[in-house]
Amino acid sequence: LSVASHKAVRRWLIDTCSFQFVSYLGNAFSGVQCPAIILGVTPDQKPTAVGCRVTTKNKSFVIAHERSFDDGILSLHVSDEEYACLHAICTRKNIVYLKGNAKFALGIVTGSNREMISNEKRDGYEVILKGNDIQRYGIKESENFIRFTPEDFQQTAPAAMYRAKEKLLYRFISEVPVFAYDDHQTLSLNSCNILIPEIPGLEMKYVLAILNSSAAAFFTLKKFNSVKLLRSHIEQIPIPLAEPEIQAAIVKKVDEIMDASENISERYEDLDRDIMEIFALSDGQIQTIQETLKGKKRFLKV
């Protein structure tokens, strides 16, 4: 429904068929880590998704309002209320994107973690982070160490990416964005990837706040419905432009969260409300986002 390599067949369906029903089955086949669906369509000279009955693990609904699939992604699991909320996020005035405005890099692929990674600090070794070390606004104390010898690794990004003065690290396996700030030139494995935003006029920690927000989590969850956070997903997250004083207020709260050892949840919710306001979301849209994310793990620093 969203993988780039299948875009052509989705485009054909969108242009020539009406959608009758779709059932999301999840991981239906033993040993296959890929969710399955049953999709019902009929050829139609006036293709539409209106009337399509959608069944997921937790809910069932009928699409009542017309919607566009201009991007070629079939987000049929999104209710009409959720679709309206997505539309509001995507059409907010003065938004920019990380596509073309950022550097991305994969973490190190060692070829053999067992041989190259030690659980104790040795001479010449340094900390290397895994995806599960990354929390929103924080990094766990890692017990993994490695000697940085790029010539021995199976795959590695340019050393300058790992040694950047400041960068963002994020979990690759996650259905919602989980980003942390790093200014210690820390190494990371390929479950923990690198983003260096370069949007003119926007502070890195402001971008961090947007990416860690409930608005961004809702967007990626409903837009892509994936357990992996891909570069292409991150590049499509809307980033609202903001005046320097607004950014400064957001960055101050980000720093407070990063430095805090208690009341993290309260501080996060306060910052999250600010981000909702920047996106100009209505009370009803905020409620839709909160209900959608209810029960989802937030991966806040502890």
Side-chain angles (χ1 to χ4, degrees):
L1 299 181
S2 63
V3 176
S5 59
H6 301 307
K7 186 173 183 177
V9 71
R10 288 198 301 272
R11 188 76 263 165
W12 179 80
L13 287 170
I14 292 166
D15 292 342
T16 64
C17 296
S18 287
F19 296 92
Q20 303 300 319
F21 66 87
V22 58
S23 297
Y24 288 81
L25 307 180
N27 292 324
F29 301 100
S30 177
V32 180
Q33 296 299 311
C34 183
I37 65 161
I38 300 176
L39 178 65
V41 299
T42 55
D44 199 329
Q45 292 184 349
K46 295 182 178 180
T48 183
V50 174
C52 180
R53 176 168 293 280
V54 181
T55 305
T56 70
K57 181 179 179 181
N58 301 315
K59 62 182 178 181
S60 179
F61 60 88
V62 175
I63 295 175
H65 301 291
E66 201 64 69
R67 60 181 62 181
S68 169
F69 300 108
D70 291 340
D71 56 6
I73 294 175
L74 290 174
S75 300
L76 294 168
H77 63 293
V78 179
S79 69
D80 289 327
E81 294 78 15
E82 291 167 341
Y83 181 80
C85 193
L86 265 180
H87 182 74
I89 291 172
C90 295
T91 57
R92 191 263 195 199
K93 292 183 179 179
N94 299 319
I95 56 175
V96 291
Y97 300 90
L98 288 164
K99 186 173 184 178
N101 291 305
K103 294 177 182 175
F104 288 84
L106 298 177
I108 295 168
V109 180
T110 65
S112 177
N113 288 352
R114 180 177 298 179
E115 293 180 9
M116 294 192 174
I117 295 178
S118 170
N119 59 7
E120 59 182 25
K121 184 70 178 291
R122 300 177 184 174
D123 187 40
Y125 279 59
E126 60 185 291
V127 166
I128 187 164
L129 301 172
K130 296 182 177 181
N132 57 15
D133 294 322
I134 303 304
Q135 302 169 309
R136 280 180 175 161
Y137 301 108
I139 298 173
K140 294 180 183 177
E141 186 173 347
S142 177
E143 297 180 349
N144 298 292
F145 304 90
I146 196 170
R147 185 192 296 274
F148 187 57
T149 53
E151 64 276 10
D152 296 330
F153 301 148
Q154 181 176 317
Q155 181 178 325
T156 181
M161 293 297 293
Y162 304 115
R163 306 308 190 188
K165 183 179 179 181
E166 58 176 352
K167 64 181 184 288
L168 303 182
L169 297 169
Y170 65 94
R171 291 182 178 229
F172 174 58
I173 304 298
S174 182
E175 62 179 349
V176 296
V178 181
F179 283 80
Y181 176 83
D182 174 58
D183 59 358
H184 291 87
Q185 296 77 55
T186 315
L187 300 176
S188 64
L189 289 171
N190 63 321
S191 58
C192 173
N193 295 329
I194 299 169
L195 164 66
I196 302 178
E198 295 180 334
I199 301 175
L202 294 189
E203 298 284 343
M204 185 178 293
K205 289 181 181 176
Y206 170 78
V207 176
L208 169 65
I210 299 298
L211 296 175
N212 272 339
S213 70
S214 292
F218 174 84
F219 175 86
T220 56
L221 192 65
K222 290 301 174 180
K223 186 76 170 178
F224 307 111
N225 194 32
S226 172
V227 295
K228 296 178 180 177
L229 187 62
L230 305 179
R231 171 178 175 170
S232 61
H233 298 167
I234 298 169
E235 288 181 328
Q236 294 180 61
I237 297 174
I239 310 291
L241 295 175
E243 296 297 325
E245 58 270 22
I246 293 176
Q247 290 188 60
I250 295 296
V251 170
K252 181 181 178 182
K253 292 188 177 184
V254 167
D255 285 333
E256 289 173 352
I257 292 174
M258 288 170 54
D259 294 338
S261 58
E262 56 185 19
N263 299 326
I264 302 298
S265 181
E266 294 176 16
R267 293 173 188 268
Y268 175 79
E269 288 167 5
D270 177 53
L271 175 58
D272 210 40
R273 284 191 293 270
D274 290 345
I275 302 301
M276 298 281 199
E277 186 174 328
I278 289 172
F279 271 105
L281 295 169
S282 68
D283 290 343
Q285 290 163 348
I286 292 172
Q287 184 177 355
T288 296
I289 290 174
Q290 291 172 339
E291 289 177 355
T292 298
L293 297 178
K294 190 178 295 181
K296 299 290 183 184
K297 193 169 181 180
R298 296 194 294 182
F299 298 101
L300 292 180
K301 59 169 284 195
V302 293

